[in-house]
Amino acid sequence: MADYNHKIREKENAKEWQIKEEAGVHKGNVHSYFNKWVDEDQTSESAGEDLLVPPTEHPRVSVAPRSHPPPRNPNQLQKVNYKKPFRNARQREVITFAGKRDNAARAAYRAGQPPSVIFDLGVPLTEIEPSVARVQRAFEEIGVRFGSFLLPERSLKDTKISIWGGQKVIDDTITELMQWRSRSRARQQMLESRPSGKDNFAKASSVIGDNWAAEEKNAKRDAERQHYQKAPQQGQKFKSNGYFLWPNTEIRAIDLFGPHCEALDSLRIEHRVYILFDEARSVFKVHSNSGAERVNEVVRRIENTIKEYVARDHRPVTLLLVEPPSPADYRPNVQTVTGPFLGVKQARSKIPVLHGEKPALDDTTDLTQDAENLTSKNKIWTYRATQKVLERIPYYRGYLRMRINFGTFALVKFQWPPGAPSVPMEKFAANIQLPGTKGTLIRNIQSDRTPRDILERCRQARDLFQAVSTSEQSLADVPPQYVAMFYLRHPEKMDEMVQLEVTFTANNAKEKAFEGSKALWIKGGKPDATTQAPPLEIFNIRLHSGISWQLQISMENTIDISRITPRMEEFARGVKFMEPPANEHPAISGYKVFASSPTLPILGMEQKTTFRYSLKAQPSCIFELSRYDEYNGTDPKYPSSTQWAASFYDRDWDVKLSENVALGVGQSASWNPHTESFFRARNASASQTPHTGFIDLVRQVQAVASFLDTLKGTLSDSRLASTANGISQETVSESESEATSE
């Protein structure tokens, strides 16, 4: 009987899956989209011929690239037994698209239950907040905080609000609504007390007014479509119906999108469709009266979510590459200097440095040839790893950043011979590629020069840098950019930390005036406390100088706007720029130029002062020199500790990756996911290859790294001396925690 019932279900499933083509329903064949990810070496084989391929002879320093698991497609996925968890499953972040999980109140609304209470606010919602979008945002934020769900009874001009939830939830929600009304009245009274402020308002014919009217129109339309979040009435007929058979292998649809597929609410509202999921048959049902085109688009985007899941489920790519020193800087051995504590568990790190006497070689041909071989191999491995990750990045939704960071490389996990004071450089270069080796890049370039000397050397490097803006005549005219970074405890969840970054840039129209350009809320607090690994990290370790660099593609774990509470908004608005005294230069003295309101307790605060220069050889590339000041001492105006950091990027990277911020569910970026589009050749010529731009970029990075070597002063020599004096060579054990970039 069980086999017979199983066959019946298979027939019903197959019958429901057979959709007529004339009805315009998408069949959803997902396997063809993953053909380019089946062959691991597809991009690798086409990447290296035109690069600097090493000679056939075996080099003295031979390093094998770290192996990574091949890309997967649904044909290779194994079925998961959801009743019993894997014993040997790898520990990693669970990929899910449902960041806004339904609470019990919203689930009751979806099930068609009547509201628990209809509350009369006393005044129309449009009088409290004229913006429809802000009303919806306030309702969403209140519902998230208190576990309720709110909707206007009929329209925003009505005074009544429908509320779903339990009794305590409703009481807390009503209290917050009354406080929301009081805050709005206080804000209106403050505006009315400033009649002169009306002169600064935009005119009705301005572009700002047109955009505001368009946003209001879209917000009202979205408010009318809220009922598509509910299930349709039993027996309701539709003009267009679509189905998509979900490949129920590694992850179930309800685990990815939520129990009620709440991650697809944006599709429901945008296309005015009902989306249901039949868990027994593992099939999505899309119903609409708006035409088959909308149904086809929704089914296509549901299908594309598989690509996003597969792309984000890949292991992050990490490469540790040793840049060979020149014959003049070559030393035979490598020792480690005790580094700072890093990571959540404050694991002790080790900084590798060269050690030993310089070889007395009259003929340096072998060393030069070995260095060229390893440099060429490093370029090939960097190019292939970057290309492999870029193929997946278009399916990432969120705030992505691509940067080349400079700093000091430190080891957290590394195989070191017990009791050995040093290891040969060839053995170190080989062991650093072994599985389990973990390192990080400390953002501090560890310069012992004065701040005035550092800035003066940057302004004198006119052969390498130029001003970014045409309004700046020289490098000395480049204004700083200030960023205030506050580390706070979440006002509603005391066990969570959040970080606020407020950026102030110079106003060219007003001399010595800085205006706030953006405020960004990030989860996790300080950077070394985050648990989300970047998709790409390639470390280029320069043992001979101490200034290493890292090519990184990271994803900021930003906080959704519906999770930003009124207290957090009030704190962000209270961050003000304070003009320093005439005799104070914050870039030199670290004088604090920010003031904040005491609405939230501050756990820590950093001030970032950044100078931006463009490269003379490639103006689209930007070099940033930043000073980080931390204020934890007795004097609140001057820093207790200071670090200098540097980074490098192409402005075109930010333009391309900014498209990922606005992506919806099932959408992908339109930019070309190849290295040629990110690494453009400096000079167009008939002899250039697809890899010319990448080789040009590596040259520019090496030039910047050589310039940073001049900023370190004599610190590099002191590190070698301290190593020679017998600093303990402790082995970093496998039990110590992994560190992230500080």
Side-chain angles (χ1 to χ4, degrees):
M1 179 62 71
D3 294 338
Y4 175 78
N5 293 335
H6 179 68
K7 292 180 179 180
I8 292 295
R9 285 195 298 269
E10 287 184 343
K11 289 182 179 181
E12 291 178 350
N13 196 1
K15 182 178 180 180
E16 191 150 8
W17 176 241
Q18 294 175 355
I19 309 299
K20 297 181 180 180
E21 291 292 334
E22 56 269 23
V25 179
H26 198 81
K27 290 188 177 181
N29 182 14
V30 302
H31 305 295
S32 61
Y33 287 93
F34 298 90
N35 291 337
K36 67 177 181 179
W37 289 343
V38 174
D39 188 2
E40 179 184 14
D41 297 326
Q42 180 177 359
T43 58
S44 302
E45 293 176 355
S46 61
E49 285 75 17
D50 296 323
L51 288 173
L52 302 178
V53 181
T56 55
E57 60 182 19
H58 188 72
R60 179 178 299 179
V61 181
S62 177
V63 181
R66 180 177 294 184
S67 60
H68 299 281
R72 301 177 293 109
N73 63 43
N75 291 325
Q76 299 172 339
L77 301 182
Q78 299 295 327
K79 279 200 171 184
V80 176
N81 184 358
Y82 295 100
K83 296 181 180 179
K84 296 182 180 180
F86 282 127
R87 292 184 178 179
N88 299 325
R90 57 180 178 177
Q91 299 296 323
R92 59 180 180 181
E93 179 189 4
V94 178
I95 305 299
T96 175
F97 297 163
K100 302 176 183 178
R101 291 283 183 177
D102 271 358
N103 53 33
R106 186 184 284 267
Y109 167 76
R110 290 186 189 275
Q113 297 181 12
S116 304
V117 67
I118 299 178
F119 175 68
D120 192 346
L121 197 57
V123 293
L125 296 174
T126 52
E127 292 187 9
I128 297 178
E129 180 55 71
S131 173
V132 180
R134 291 181 180 177
V135 171
Q136 294 177 351
R137 190 185 309 166
F139 281 8
E140 178 73 15
E141 186 269 329
I142 293 173
V144 169
R145 275 200 294 148
F146 298 102
S148 58
F149 183 69
L150 300 84
L151 277 181
E153 179 65 14
R154 286 185 293 271
S155 68
L156 294 178
K157 294 182 180 180
D158 198 354
T159 63
K160 296 181 180 180
I161 302 174
S162 300
I163 305 176
W164 283 261
Q167 186 59 45
K168 185 179 184 305
V169 169
I170 292 175
D171 294 341
D172 295 341
T173 302
I174 292 176
T175 302
E176 180 62 25
L177 287 174
M178 298 302 295
Q179 294 178 359
W180 177 52
R181 187 181 70 174
S182 301
R183 290 194 299 267
S184 177
R185 286 181 175 176
R187 190 163 52 248
Q188 291 177 2
Q189 292 175 359
M190 181 183 64
L191 294 176
E192 291 174 357
S193 63
R194 301 177 182 177
S196 60
K198 297 181 180 179
D199 299 335
N200 298 326
F201 288 168
K203 297 181 180 179
S205 59
S206 67
V207 178
I208 297 177
D210 294 341
N211 293 340
W212 182 86
E215 290 181 358
E216 290 299 295
K217 185 177 180 180
N218 294 334
K220 290 180 180 179
R221 188 183 299 115
D222 292 345
E224 296 172 356
R225 298 176 182 175
Q226 291 292 333
H227 66 274
Y228 286 103
Q229 299 179 17
K230 301 172 61 175
Q233 297 179 1
Q234 189 71 21
Q236 185 176 353
K237 302 296 183 182
F238 299 93
K239 295 181 180 178
S240 303
N241 302 283
Y243 304 86
F244 176 72
L245 186 63
W246 181 262
N248 200 6
T249 52
E250 278 197 352
I251 188 168
R252 296 178 297 183
I254 61 173
D255 295 334
L256 192 64
F257 302 111
H260 303 281
C261 295
E262 48 265 30
L264 303 178
D265 280 349
S266 58
L267 292 179
R268 293 179 170 117
I269 295 175
E270 178 183 356
H271 295 281
R272 290 179 288 182
V273 299
Y274 292 97
I275 302 177
L276 307 175
F277 181 69
D278 188 343
E279 188 175 2
R281 300 173 179 176
S282 188
V283 62
F284 278 97
K285 303 176 182 180
V286 183
H287 309 295
S288 176
N289 290 321
S290 302
E293 294 80 8
R294 293 181 180 272
V295 173
N296 291 337
E297 175 65 15
V298 171
V299 174
R300 184 189 67 81
R301 288 177 62 173
I302 294 176
E303 178 182 357
N304 284 347
T305 57
I306 302 178
K307 296 182 186 180
E308 182 180 354
Y309 170 76
V310 173
R312 293 182 57 183
D313 192 56
H314 273 271
R315 287 180 180 270
V317 175
T318 303
L319 289 180
L320 301 176
L321 307 176
V322 176
E323 179 178 320
S326 63
D329 297 328
Y330 181 82
R331 299 293 185 273
N333 299 323
V334 176
Q335 283 191 345
T336 58
V337 179
T338 302
F341 291 98
L342 300 174
V344 180
K345 296 183 179 180
Q346 294 292 290
R348 170 65 76 180
S349 63
K350 296 290 182 178
I351 300 176
V353 295
L354 290 179
H355 178 66
E357 297 295 333
K358 180 180 178 181
L361 298 177
D362 297 332
D363 185 8
T364 60
T365 305
D366 293 340
L367 289 177
T368 303
Q369 187 65 39
D370 293 341
E372 292 178 355
N373 292 340
L374 187 55
T375 300
S376 178
K377 291 171 113 178
N378 289 347
K379 291 180 181 179
I380 295 175
W381 294 333
T382 302
Y383 182 91
R384 291 177 176 176
T386 306
Q387 175 62 51
K388 187 176 297 183
V389 173
L390 285 178
E391 291 181 357
R392 307 196 300 260
I393 292 300
Y395 300 98
Y396 277 69
R397 291 183 289 120
Y399 187 76
L400 292 169
R401 289 167 55 92
M402 186 173 181
R403 291 290 186 271
I404 294 176
N405 302 313
F406 298 91
T408 304
F409 178 79
L411 289 165
V412 178
K413 292 182 181 180
F414 182 70
Q415 294 190 13
W416 193 276
S422 63
V423 295
M425 179 182 171
E426 291 79 5
K427 183 176 180 61
F428 175 84
N431 287 353
I432 205 169
Q433 294 290 339
L434 295 176
T437 303
K438 294 182 180 180
T440 185
L441 191 74
I442 304 173
R443 72 183 179 194
N444 192 4
I445 62 175
Q446 295 187 353
S447 175
D448 64 346
R449 299 188 183 275
T450 63
R452 191 182 299 275
D453 189 14
I454 292 175
L455 296 178
E456 186 61 28
R457 286 177 178 269
C458 289
R459 292 164 181 168
Q460 296 298 327
R462 289 184 289 270
D463 57 336
L464 183 61
F465 304 131
Q466 66 181 9
V468 176
S469 175
T470 56
S471 62
E472 300 156 359
Q473 300 298 326
S474 65
L475 296 179
D477 298 331
V478 174
Q481 181 187 72
Y482 296 103
V483 181
M485 297 181 290
F486 297 92
Y487 306 105
L488 313 165
R489 201 170 295 280
H490 197 285
E492 304 294 337
K493 304 175 182 177
M494 300 305 294
D495 58 336
E496 294 185 8
M497 288 183 61
V498 295
Q499 176 183 345
L500 172 64
E501 293 185 1
V502 183
T503 304
F504 285 80
T505 55
N507 187 348
N508 295 328
K510 299 179 181 179
E511 187 178 359
K512 296 183 179 180
F514 288 83
E515 297 180 350
S517 58
K518 65 176 181 179
L520 184 66
W521 287 95
I522 304 173
K523 298 178 182 178
K526 290 191 176 182
D528 63 355
T530 182
T531 57
Q532 188 172 9
L536 175 67
E537 281 188 312
I538 301 178
F539 297 92
N540 193 282
I541 308 168
R542 303 172 74 240
L543 297 173
H544 55 284
S545 73
I547 295 290
S548 302
W549 57 270
Q550 167 202 46
L551 174 60
Q552 182 186 66
I553 299 179
S554 61
M555 187 171 182
E556 294 287 356
N557 197 9
T558 56
I559 299 177
D560 187 81
I561 192 171
S562 64
R563 266 59 178 174
I564 300 176
T565 66
R567 292 180 62 189
M568 296 167 66
E569 291 182 349
E570 184 180 358
F571 182 86
R573 288 194 300 266
V575 179
K576 304 297 182 183
F577 179 82
M578 307 299 293
E579 187 69 29
N583 60 343
E584 289 288 353
H585 300 279
I588 297 177
S589 63
Y591 185 84
K592 186 177 178 181
V593 296
F594 294 103
S596 59
S597 59
T599 56
L600 290 177
I602 300 176
L603 302 180
M605 187 267 181
E606 280 186 312
Q607 178 174 290
K608 177 182 176 183
T609 307
T610 301
F611 291 88
R612 301 171 69 246
Y613 309 97
S614 66
L615 266 65
K616 205 167 187 178
Q618 202 161 351
S620 63
C621 294
I622 303 298
F623 169 74
E624 288 187 349
L625 181 68
S626 302
R627 170 180 175 144
Y628 289 85
D629 294 309
E630 189 170 358
Y631 302 89
N632 291 328
T634 56
D635 193 341
K637 289 295 183 181
Y638 292 94
S640 57
S641 62
T642 301
Q643 293 181 346
W644 286 89
S647 61
F648 176 93
Y649 67 96
D650 194 317
R651 282 183 283 194
D652 191 50
W653 298 350
D654 288 351
V655 173
K656 286 184 170 63
L657 296 179
S658 62
E659 185 179 346
N660 293 61
V661 178
L663 292 179
V665 177
Q667 290 181 327
S668 61
S670 60
W671 45 264
N672 185 13
H674 291 88
T675 51
E676 302 92 84
S677 63
F678 278 81
F679 308 120
R680 295 174 298 178
R682 183 171 55 181
N683 298 318
S685 62
S687 60
Q688 75 178 31
T689 66
H691 319 109
T692 304
F694 175 77
I695 297 177
D696 288 344
L697 179 76
V698 173
R699 291 197 188 102
Q700 299 301 326
V701 174
Q702 291 174 345
V704 173
S706 299
F707 167 74
L708 291 175
D709 289 340
T710 64
L711 300 183
K712 288 183 66 66
T714 60
L715 188 60
S716 180
D717 297 335
S718 65
R719 289 172 59 226
L720 293 176
S722 64
T723 306
N725 291 335
I727 288 183
S728 62
Q729 305 298 322
E730 301 175 6
T731 302
V732 183
S733 65
E734 292 292 329
S735 61
E736 290 180 326
S737 63
E738 175 183 1
T740 56
S741 299
E742 180 177 292

